[in-house]
Amino acid sequence: MNTQQHIAVLGSGNIGLALAKGLVKAGIFTPQQITLTRRNTGALAALAAEGYNVTANNADAVSKADIVVLAILPQQLNKLLDEIQPATQESKHLLISVVSGVSCADIRKQLALDVQVIRAMPNTAIAIGQSMTCIATDTASDANVSLVKSLFDTVGVTIQINEELMTSATALCACGIAFFLRSIRAASQGGTEIGFHAHDALRMAAQTAKGAADLLLQLASHPEQEIDKVTSPKGCTIAGLNEMEHNGFSSAMIKGIKVSAEKAGVLYKSE
């Protein structure tokens, strides 16, 4: 990686800021190599004090950057692209889009430029370096794909997928954070109902969920294999699982992911 490169993060919300901080924490970039943009720059005052470049001028940020991260809502994208178009150069810039439901071709079409675009879909666990980030492209070089992967590897785990699956990745990984959090919240409420104080129940439920996930990730195991280890004949675990299934637990999760994917696919088109 060329450590002399400069990155502009356009739309410095939770995802953009977490990426910027992750790159600095990993020692790949200094704050001085990163420009953060936001309409209200006052919200970035603390980061400006740390040495990050802060501005409300997106076009100016792009003109000084080599890598441009588009980190805004789909409904705001076309206006932003029109704003930065004069400052964008095909031979110079690599665009990284974390915008849901927008293809690489959509971005090139709006810019009317044959610029290289790579999509990335992280989730909010990026804030603690635990994101599951999917990346995809249609025409970007292998070198640039490797570059983007190395950037997001600083804030979690990355996987490259086909671009047509990026909307699905939004539902499973980005929206999925909320789904699993709601499951943990429900478990903690169940814990409170059976006698634990709310704060203890939440801690117990969250740690149990973390342990379950680590069993799969560290042992490369399958959920049903681990479930079999804790379900005994006529036991309490299988009784609880079956009651949840009778009430649509798995079905509700599957349907929720499907609906989220459908919604993510039309956010840009319905702006």
Side-chain angles (χ1 to χ4, degrees), residues 179 244-245 247-259:
F179 304 154
M244 292 177 193
E245 291 301 333
N247 285 279
F249 180 80
S250 294
S251 178
M253 180 75 84
I254 293 165
K255 288 179 179 178
I257 290 170
K258 183 179 178 183
V259 169

Side-chain angles (χ1 to χ4, degrees), residues 4-5 8 28 93 96 104 143:
Q4 300 306 307
Q5 289 181 310
I28 298 176
H93 289 114
I96 302 172
C104 298

Side-chain angles (χ1 to χ4, degrees), residues 175-187:
C175 302
I177 282 281
F179 304 154
F180 289 111
L181 288 172
R182 180 57 60 84
S183 298
I184 293 169
R185 173 59 175 155

Side-chain angles (χ1 to χ4, degrees), residues 195-263:
F196 295 104
H197 289 294
H199 63 278
D200 288 334
L202 180 56
R203 183 178 183 186
M204 293 161 71
Q207 179 59 39
T208 301
K210 183 176 183 292
D214 283 344
L215 279 174
L216 303 183
L217 294 171
Q218 295 182 25
L219 301 181
S221 186
H222 188 278
E224 292 304 322
Q225 184 178 348
E226 297 305 321
I227 288 172
D228 286 346
K229 294 177 182 178
V230 73
T231 50
S232 54
K234 297 185 178 181
C236 54
T237 303
I238 192 62
L241 277 175
N242 285 343
E243 182 67 18
M244 292 177 193
E245 291 301 333
H246 290 323
N247 285 279
F249 180 80
S250 294
S251 178
M253 180 75 84
I254 293 165
K255 288 179 179 178
I257 290 170
K258 183 179 178 183
V259 169
S260 286
E262 291 169 352
K263 180 69 173 179

Side-chain angles (χ1 to χ4, degrees), residues 39-252:
R39 279 179 292 184
N40 175 19
T41 56
L44 301 174
L47 290 163
E50 293 177 22
Y52 292 88
N53 302 289
V54 171
T55 181
N57 190 322
N58 290 307
D60 185 57
V62 170
S63 69
K64 297 175 181 176
D66 304 288
I67 301 168
V68 178
V69 179
L70 306 173
I72 58 171
L73 296 174
Q75 298 89 339
Q76 301 169 335
L77 181 62
N78 283 352
K79 181 180 178 181
L80 174 68
L81 293 177
D82 290 344
E83 183 182 348
I84 68 171
Q85 198 275 346
T88 306
Q89 299 178 33
E90 295 178 356
S91 59
K92 175 184 179 183
H93 289 114
L94 168 64
L95 270 56
I96 302 172
S97 170
V98 299
V99 185
S100 300
V102 184
S103 71
C104 298
D106 288 334
I107 292 171
R108 287 196 301 273
K109 180 179 179 182
Q110 186 66 25
L111 286 171
L113 292 169
D114 190 23
V115 66
Q116 291 202 35
V117 182
I118 296 176
R119 294 173 65 182
M121 183 48 60
N123 59 36
T124 54
I126 192 174
I128 57 169
Q130 292 294 326
S131 177
M132 177 65 253
T133 302
C134 295
I135 60 173
T137 189
D138 55 355
T139 62
S141 68
D142 290 344
N144 277 334
V145 170
S146 294
L147 169 61
V148 173
K149 187 177 187 306
S150 69
L151 298 183
F152 282 94
D153 278 343
T154 67
V155 286
V157 176
T158 62
I159 182 173
Q160 184 177 357
I161 62 175
N162 293 330
E163 190 182 3
E164 59 264 28
L165 289 172
M166 284 297 284
T167 299
S168 299
T170 301
L172 184 58
C173 301
C175 302
I177 282 281
F179 304 154
F180 289 111
L181 288 172
R182 180 57 60 84
S183 298
I184 293 169
R185 173 59 175 155
S188 74
Q189 289 175 310
T192 301
E193 186 163 347
I194 60 176
F196 295 104
H197 289 294
H199 63 278
D200 288 334
L202 180 56
R203 183 178 183 186
M204 293 161 71
Q207 179 59 39
T208 301
K210 183 176 183 292
D214 283 344
L215 279 174
L216 303 183
L217 294 171
Q218 295 182 25
L219 301 181
S221 186
H222 188 278
E224 292 304 322
Q225 184 178 348
E226 297 305 321
I227 288 172
D228 286 346
K229 294 177 182 178
V230 73
T231 50
S232 54
K234 297 185 178 181
C236 54
T237 303
I238 192 62
L241 277 175
N242 285 343
E243 182 67 18
M244 292 177 193
E245 291 301 333
H246 290 323
N247 285 279
F249 180 80
S250 294
S251 178

